[in-house]
Amino acid sequence: MNFIKKQTVSSWLTLVAFILAIVAVAMFASGNNSAVAAGLFGTFDTSDLMAESVIEIIFLAAIIALSEFKLGGIIGDIFEWVVWALKILVCILPVLALIGFLGMRVQGLANLYFSDANIQATMQTEENLAAASQAIATAIIYGVTAVVAVVAAFFRPYKKVKASAAVA
C-alpha cells in the first residue's frame, strides 16, 4: 500500500499510456494480418509504425522504472533530465504512429464509407465493416495514448522533496 501512495500523477498516467500503447500495438498487429484488411486497405510496409510503437513502449517502461529512483547530486540531475527527455519523446512517438496509421488506412476507409452508393453496396460487406471498425478503434487507441502521454509530460516524474526548516 505504501508503494501505491508513493506514486506520482505522472507515474499513473505513464502506466496508463504504457497499457494503451500495448493495446494499440496488439490491435494493429491483429488487424493488419487479416486478408480482408489487406484487400480493403492495401499492403503497406508497417515496419516503421511497429518500430515507433515498440520504441514508445520501451520508453514508457523506462520512464516508469527510472522515476522510482531518486538520486542526489549531479547524477540525480542528469537522471531527471533523461526522464524528462524520454517524456518528450513519448509525446512525439504516438502522434507519429497515429499519423502513419491513418495514412495507411484513410483511403480504404474513404472508399468504404464515402463512395457513391453503387461502390458502397459492393464494398460494405460484413468482413470489410469489421476490419474498418477495428481500424477506427485502433486509431482511437493511438490517439488516446498520445493525449495521455502528453498530459503525463506536464507532471513531475518525482515527488517534490520538502526542504526542512533550518533551526538556527
Side-chain angles (χ1 to χ4, degrees):
M1 188 69 174
N2 195 22
F3 175 77
I4 293 173
K5 288 181 183 178
K6 288 176 30 179
Q7 301 308 309
T8 62
V9 173
S10 175
S11 296
W12 288 111
L13 289 173
T14 304
L15 180 63
V16 170
F18 177 76
I19 293 168
L20 288 172
I22 291 172
V23 169
V25 168
M27 288 177 68
F28 173 68
S30 69
N32 199 45
N33 290 336
S34 71
V36 174
L40 179 62
F41 300 119
T43 56
F44 292 96
D45 182 22
T46 60
S47 60
D48 290 342
L49 179 65
M50 289 302 282
E52 289 169 359
S53 300
V54 169
I55 290 170
E56 175 193 358
I57 291 170
I58 291 169
F59 285 173
L60 286 166
I63 291 169
I64 292 169
L66 293 175
S67 65
E68 293 302 314
F69 302 105
K70 183 62 178 161
L71 303 173
I74 190 95
I75 300 293
D77 291 341
I78 292 171
F79 208 64
E80 191 169 350
W81 279 103
V82 168
V83 171
W84 282 109
L86 287 174
K87 286 169 88 66
I88 291 169
L89 288 173
V90 164
C91 291
I92 296 168
L93 288 172
V95 173
L96 291 176
L98 176 62
I99 291 169
F101 180 78
L102 290 175
M104 288 188 279
R105 300 295 191 240
V106 72
Q107 185 176 0
L109 291 172
N111 288 339
L112 186 65
Y113 291 117
F114 301 112
S115 295
D116 66 355
N118 294 331
I119 295 174
Q120 282 185 352
T122 60
M123 285 188 70
Q124 289 186 347
T125 64
E126 196 172 309
E127 294 85 14
N128 283 350
L129 290 173
S133 295
Q134 184 171 6
I136 292 168
T138 304
I140 290 170
I141 296 294
Y142 270 122
V144 171
T145 303
V147 169
V148 171
V150 168
V151 171
F154 283 98
F155 292 96
R156 294 181 62 83
Y158 305 107
K159 286 197 174 185
K160 204 169 196 176
V161 178
K162 295 180 183 177
S164 60
V167 178

